[in-house]
Amino acid sequence: MLSSIERIPTYADEKHYSLPNDDVERSRLDEQHRALFVLLHNRTIHAPLKNPDILLDVGCGTGAVTIDLSAQYPGATVYGIDLAPAPTASPPNAHFITGNIRDIAGKLPLTYGSMNFVFCRFLCCGMTDWQGYINTAEKLLRSGGWIEVQDMSYRFYNGYDVQDDECMKWVHAIRDVAAERNMDLDCGSNAAEYMRRAGLVEVEVVKYKCPLGIWMKTTNPESEWYGRLEVEQMSGAHYHLIDKMLSGHVKYGSQVKDLQINALQTLIETPGQYYVYYATIGRKP
């Protein structure tokens, strides 16, 4: 963890995304992908796709989901789009695009009305105007196509399922700044309403508890790997997130170091503590 904290991170896009984009972060994302697969009961997506031919993974990062979908649906064309350049090695039916979905949607090859499926995951630290994004994703779909959003809400709960994050001063600070920037750190829990407003139907939500540590492994063994990663790697990721989001801020800029320490002190093995990861799907009529 020290190496992930002490490094000087690099970023793919200084304006639009607050987490690093370097070898340490890419390694974390790849392992997180594998751990999430287990947490989600050995599946990547929840949408009931039937013989899809064009799929889109928005904010594809290292390309893990894009590559999974291309293997799961070998007869389909799968696009992955991200602000950072994507992997050079990929299956023949996977294609990566570097750019912002807001700039590229509606243009070849991401034309409106062409997609069977539009997916995104963990965009809470970069996406602004979530309703606008969901509206754009809906336009990309053909009739009968599905949107899936997998994301968290930055709220931590105790063993009694009561919100209990008062000691996490860093959480409240980044929530304040995110709201100023039109980011939604409750996008996981709000995704269903965004989809309904966009006219999607058959909206469904599946919730997963993401523990801080391995305390839940007896009752939910699928959570052990992911919980271990939370305490081993996420404190380092949030250490740099706090610096990126709060440095220079009129209220929190002078508190960055204290808030980074607070994150390191609170993102630890804590029996009973967890946040909720939401998988939300909706279909275009």
Side-chain angles (χ1 to χ4, degrees):
M1 186 176 72
L2 283 178
S3 61
S4 70
I5 292 171
E6 293 174 345
R7 79 188 196 276
I8 299 175
T10 57
Y11 296 87
D13 187 296
E14 291 289 336
K15 180 180 179 182
H16 294 105
Y17 192 63
S18 299
L19 283 170
N21 180 65
D22 52 22
D23 289 343
V24 173
E25 178 66 4
R26 285 189 288 270
S27 176
R28 182 190 73 80
L29 290 173
D30 281 337
E31 187 169 7
Q32 180 189 62
H33 170 73
R34 296 190 294 271
L36 265 176
F37 182 80
V38 176
L39 181 71
L40 273 55
H41 309 297
N42 295 327
R43 60 180 172 181
T44 302
I45 66 171
H46 299 68
L49 304 184
K50 296 179 180 179
N51 302 314
D53 53 8
I54 305 180
L55 301 85
L56 175 62
D57 177 16
V58 178
C60 65
T62 64
V65 171
T66 310
I67 292 170
D68 271 10
L69 291 176
S70 67
Q72 187 173 351
Y73 302 103
T77 298
V78 186
Y79 294 103
I81 182 171
D82 198 89
L83 297 172
T88 54
S90 61
N93 63 326
H95 306 277
F96 292 100
I97 302 168
T98 302
N100 190 321
I101 185 63
R102 299 188 191 281
D103 300 326
I104 296 174
K107 303 174 184 177
L108 287 172
L110 308 183
T111 54
Y112 292 137
S114 65
M115 303 286 165
N116 300 108
F117 183 55
V118 178
F119 175 87
C120 71
R121 180 172 76 185
F122 276 134
L123 297 187
C124 56
C125 293
M127 182 67 71
T128 58
D129 182 17
W130 270 91
Q131 188 63 66
Y133 164 70
I134 295 297
N135 292 347
T136 296
E138 185 273 338
K139 291 179 182 178
L140 287 168
L141 291 177
R142 63 183 66 170
S143 178
W146 292 86
I147 294 174
E148 180 161 347
V149 174
Q150 293 184 17
D151 225 310
M152 65 180 291
S153 288
Y154 265 89
R155 300 178 187 273
F156 292 81
Y157 300 86
N158 61 27
Y160 299 100
D161 299 323
V162 174
Q163 187 173 340
D164 185 15
D165 51 21
E166 284 302 313
C167 66
M168 294 178 161
K169 298 177 181 178
W170 65 274
V171 171
H172 301 285
I174 65 170
R175 287 181 66 89
D176 284 351
V177 175
E180 293 174 3
R181 299 178 181 177
N182 198 24
M183 298 163 65
D184 182 5
L185 295 193
D186 288 319
C187 56
S189 57
N190 290 334
E193 182 58 26
Y194 292 139
M195 291 186 188
R196 294 187 183 101
R197 290 176 185 170
L200 300 183
V201 298
E202 298 180 38
V203 177
E204 297 181 10
V205 183
V206 181
K207 301 177 184 179
Y208 299 89
K209 288 185 177 180
C210 297
L212 295 187
I214 62 174
W215 59 267
M216 209 164 65
K217 68 176 183 178
T218 301
T219 56
N220 183 7
E222 293 89 352
S223 72
E224 181 178 0
W225 188 358
Y226 193 86
R228 175 171 52 80
L229 289 182
E230 284 298 292
V231 296
E232 289 181 355
Q233 298 184 7
M234 284 307 293
S235 55
H238 281 94
Y239 185 90
H240 296 293
L241 171 72
I242 291 165
D243 182 48
K244 182 69 165 57
M245 286 190 68
L246 305 184
S247 289
H249 188 270
V250 63
K251 179 178 179 180
Y252 296 109
S254 62
Q255 304 177 40
V256 167
K257 289 300 180 185
D258 289 340
L259 291 169
Q260 287 176 315
I261 293 171
N262 178 247
L264 297 180
Q265 292 173 335
T266 55
L267 286 171
I268 59 174
E269 174 85 31
T270 308
Q273 193 164 48
Y274 68 94
Y275 65 84
V276 180
Y277 184 76
Y278 299 81
T280 306
I281 62 172
R283 183 178 64 83
K284 184 172 181 173

